[in-house]
């Protein structure tokens, strides 16, 4: 099969990993707010988290020691960056036709001990054997292409998020379809 969308790192994937690095280094808070002495920020461990609606906020420490799920991982770049920043478990997930390429990238970067490559179909969230697992971070870039993917993606996000989970999504807005998804997020999550 062709790796049309998952065969390389797109601009939004690069922007997402840049944002992840800034969060990890304490330059940005997990919500994108600038951090520093003028804001009274003392480090990433004191940054409040936003999880599922109605849950308590808890502190975060960037990506060090966390569990990360990358959705629609393609070549797995953001997931591998999370592993390089000290995540103890990273699951890079995508459709079956992307897994071989992704696994090869993980092996080329010697990250097999911390990065798992799994199939995950948003229509069948049990497809990757991850049922009931919660992650500290769920990341993804350019996930929303068509309106019929909105509901499966929202349900997938909810199924892997616990009270302290942070979701970090990047999307190049190419059409009104993309706005529709992001307008629905506040109905399900604190944003």
């Amino acid at each position: 099969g062709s790796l049309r969308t998952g065969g390389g790192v797109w601009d939004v994937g690069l922007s997402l990993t840049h944002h992840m690095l800034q969060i990890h280094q304490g330059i940005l808070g997990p919500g994108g707010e600038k951090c520093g002495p003028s804001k009274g920020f003392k480090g990433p461990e004191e940054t409040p988290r936003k999880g599922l609606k109605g849950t308590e906020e808890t502190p975060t420490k960037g990506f060090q020691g966390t569990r990360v799920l990358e959705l629609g991982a393609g070549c797995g770049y953001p997931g591998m960056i999370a592993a390089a920043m000290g995540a103890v478990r990273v699951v890079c997930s995508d459709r079956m036709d992307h897994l071989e390429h992704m696994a090869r990238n993980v092996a080329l970067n010697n990250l097999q001990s911390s990065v798992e490559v799994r199939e995950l179909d948003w229509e069948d969230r049990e497809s990757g054997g991850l049922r009931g697992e919660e992650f500290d971070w769920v990341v993804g870039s350019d996930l929303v292409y068509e309106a019929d993917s909105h509901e499966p993606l929202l349900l997938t996000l909810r199924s892997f998020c616990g009270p302290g989970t942070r979701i970090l999504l990047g999307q190049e807005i190419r059409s009104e379809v993309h706005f529709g998804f992001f307008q629905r997020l506040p109905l399900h999550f604190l944003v």
Side-chain angles (χ1 to χ4, degrees):
S2 170
L3 292 179
R4 299 170 300 162
T5 58
V9 181
W10 291 61
D11 289 344
V12 174
L14 293 173
S15 294
L16 176 69
T17 55
H18 180 73
H19 195 82
M20 290 167 62
L21 285 165
Q22 289 186 316
I23 289 169
H24 187 72
Q25 295 168 346
I27 296 166
L28 289 180
E33 65 278 5
K34 292 223 183 270
C35 300
S38 63
K39 297 277 186 182
F41 184 77
K42 296 181 181 172
E45 67 277 357
E46 297 184 19
T47 305
R49 292 175 114 159
K50 299 172 187 169
L52 290 173
K53 234 185 189 4
T55 62
E56 293 182 21
E57 294 184 356
T58 56
T60 185
K61 296 180 181 178
F63 290 87
Q64 182 72 37
T66 62
R67 296 160 300 152
V68 179
L69 172 63
E70 183 183 2
L71 297 175
C75 63
Y77 185 66
M80 290 188 290
I81 293 295
M85 289 188 287
V88 294
R89 179 168 186 233
V90 176
V91 176
C92 291
S93 67
D94 211 321
R95 297 182 317 255
M96 181 60 79
D97 58 338
H98 290 78
L99 301 186
E100 183 179 339
H101 177 67
M102 191 186 322
R104 190 170 35 252
N105 289 338
V106 170
L108 286 170
N109 287 282
N110 294 315
L111 293 169
Q112 304 93 313
S113 64
S114 56
V115 178
E116 300 171 40
V117 173
R118 298 275 188 102
E119 176 186 15
L120 181 60
D121 180 345
W122 301 343
E123 297 281 345
D124 177 15
R125 287 167 294 288
E126 295 183 17
S127 63
L130 300 170
R131 182 179 182 198
E133 289 198 46
E134 293 179 356
F135 292 85
D136 301 300
W137 290 89
V138 178
V139 300
S141 61
D142 276 333
L143 299 177
V144 182
Y145 286 96
E146 299 179 15
D148 63 356
S149 70
H150 292 187
E151 191 65 23
L153 178 54
L154 284 168
L155 291 172
T156 298
L157 288 169
R158 287 190 63 87
S159 67
F160 295 111
C161 290
T165 301
R166 289 205 158 275
I167 301 170
L168 189 59
L169 302 176
Q171 180 71 44
E172 181 177 338
I173 304 298
R174 297 178 184 92
S175 75
E176 291 296 320
V177 169
H178 301 134
F179 283 115
F181 174 78
F182 288 98
Q183 288 172 337
R184 292 181 65 188
L185 283 178
L187 300 173
H188 301 273
F189 302 97
L190 296 173
V191 289

